[in-house]
Amino acid sequence: MREGRNFSQAIERGFDSAFSSIFDANLTTMIVAIALYAIGNGPIQGFAITLGLGLLTSLFTGVFASRIIINYLWGRDTSHEVKL
């Protein structure tokens, strides 16, 4: 908002800048889950599957679902704008 953006543009910019680091962290952990599944057996493969499914669910809800909810609640509402 200090750069002259309105509230919805600031939200969009925040999500855009945070997405790369969130995606990178989840991609790195997904590579580990795939390696655990390939190398391990039995309970380790089960853990790898659970880890991978948890990552996909977390990525979806953390980025896409929260973006939808925040844009719905504050993205188009100008009453939340703060003047700096």
Side-chain angles (χ1 to χ4, degrees):
M1 300 212 23
R2 291 181 183 150
E3 295 173 355
R5 292 180 173 84
N6 64 25
F7 199 69
S8 64
Q9 290 172 334
I11 291 172
E12 187 71 24
R13 176 74 187 248
F15 272 106
D16 288 341
S17 64
F19 180 76
S20 63
S21 63
I22 292 170
F23 183 75
D24 181 47
N26 284 315
L27 179 66
T28 305
T29 308
M30 185 60 78
I31 291 170
V32 171
I34 291 169
L36 282 173
Y37 186 80
I39 295 171
N41 58 9
I44 303 216
Q45 285 181 332
F47 173 74
I49 290 173
T50 304
L51 179 63
L53 290 174
L55 280 171
L56 293 176
T57 305
S58 173
L59 182 65
F60 176 75
T61 57
V63 174
F64 300 111
S66 66
R67 186 178 215 164
I68 290 169
I69 292 168
I70 288 173
N71 281 332
Y72 177 75
L73 293 176
W74 287 292
R76 292 179 178 76
D77 188 8
T78 59
S79 66
H80 292 90
E81 290 186 13
V82 177
K83 302 294 180 189
L84 296 177

